[in-house]
Every structure is written in structure tokens, then in C-alpha cells.
Amino acid sequence: MTTSQDTSAAVAHFTERLTFETDVADVHADLAAGVQFTLVDARSQESWDQGHVPGAVHLPGGKVRLRAEQTIDRDLPVVTYCWGPGCNAATKAALEFAKLGYQVKEMLGGFEYWVREGFAYETATGRVQPDPDPLSSPV
């Protein structure tokens, strides 16, 4: 590792990442504070039914181009999510929203880390309040 790093490049890099990425803790805090945005779950119907973030809109990534303008308010920022770090449906959905002119971010960690941090989620049978995973959230 070199020690003569151009810190202005690092500032630009991390600023750009924060412009287009957020995490589950920030999304949870924004929802609790009443910040206005649309949270979009880009997963399949089966995944949605298994559990999703309260207040999210279900719009599978492959349907964004076809249904976004009829279902998602263009005046609000959009945050997309999918299963977790191993899933890129949120990235694909965010790209489609960006192509359509929406202000958009991707929620890193996805639904997996939402649950691992102990945040409540909804299923077809009701609300679930999981215990936090001590490896991802302080208990």
C-alpha cells in the first residue's frame, strides 16, 4: 500500500457513492423521521410475500420501465432494495429509475440486513419484529 494517496480523488469517490447509495440504518431512520421518499422492493412476488419493509412499494426490477411512471411519484426520491449483498435486482431497478429521470439510491444490505439489524417487517400474515443479529447490530 502506498502512502502518497491523492485524497481529493478519495473524497470525490466516496461522495459519489453516498450520492447513490444508502444503508438500512439510514433508511430506517428516515422512515421514522417522516422523510418523504418512495421505498421500492425490486424482488419477486414470492420474496415480497415472504417479507418486506413496511411502507415499501412492490415493483420487481424487470417491471420498472413498464410501470414506474404510473405507480411511482416522480417528485419524490426513490430508494431501491432487493434480498441482500448477493442480489443485484436493486441495482438494476435503480438503473431503470435513473434512465427514466428519477432521483434514486440503492439501499445496501437489502432486506437481509434490514432483518439482521432487527427492524420490523411485514409478511402476508402480519408484522414480524426480529431480534437483532449481534454480528450486524449492537444488542
Side-chain angles (χ1 to χ4, degrees), residues 34-47:
V35 175
Q36 296 293 302
F37 65 97
T38 303
L39 184 59
V40 174
D41 186 319
R43 301 173 303 146
S44 68
Q45 185 66 50
E46 296 80 12
S47 299

Side-chain angles (χ1 to χ4, degrees), residues 3 25 32 73 76 90:
T3 57
D73 186 344
L76 293 178

Side-chain angles (χ1 to χ4, degrees), residues 2-135:
T2 61
T3 57
S4 60
Q5 182 184 33
D6 176 3
T7 60
S8 64
V11 168
H13 170 77
F14 292 113
T15 299
E16 184 170 323
R17 284 192 63 190
L18 290 172
T19 300
F20 302 109
E21 298 173 347
T22 188
D23 66 16
V24 296
D26 288 343
V27 169
H28 184 266
D30 286 348
L31 287 170
V35 175
Q36 296 293 302
F37 65 97
T38 303
L39 184 59
V40 174
D41 186 319
R43 301 173 303 146
S44 68
Q45 185 66 50
E46 296 80 12
S47 299
W48 169 266
D49 292 342
Q50 187 175 340
H52 54 272
V53 176
V57 174
H58 184 229
L59 186 56
K63 305 283 186 192
V64 170
R65 188 171 33 91
L66 302 172
R67 295 182 22 213
E69 293 179 336
Q70 294 81 24
T71 59
I72 306 299
D73 186 344
R74 182 176 293 284
D75 295 329
L76 293 178
V78 173
V79 175
T80 63
Y81 75 89
C82 58
W83 268 115
C87 173
N88 69 359
T91 305
K92 291 175 182 177
L95 176 59
E96 290 302 318
F97 276 111
K99 287 178 179 179
L100 293 170
Y102 287 81
Q103 180 185 347
V104 63
K105 286 188 175 192
E106 179 182 1
M107 183 176 83
L108 300 179
F111 185 69
E112 175 188 351
Y113 276 78
W114 184 272
V115 174
R116 290 182 76 179
E117 290 202 21
F119 300 140
Y121 62 94
E122 295 175 346
T123 69
T125 59
R127 194 172 181 97
V128 177
Q129 181 62 60
D131 291 328
D133 179 340
L135 296 177

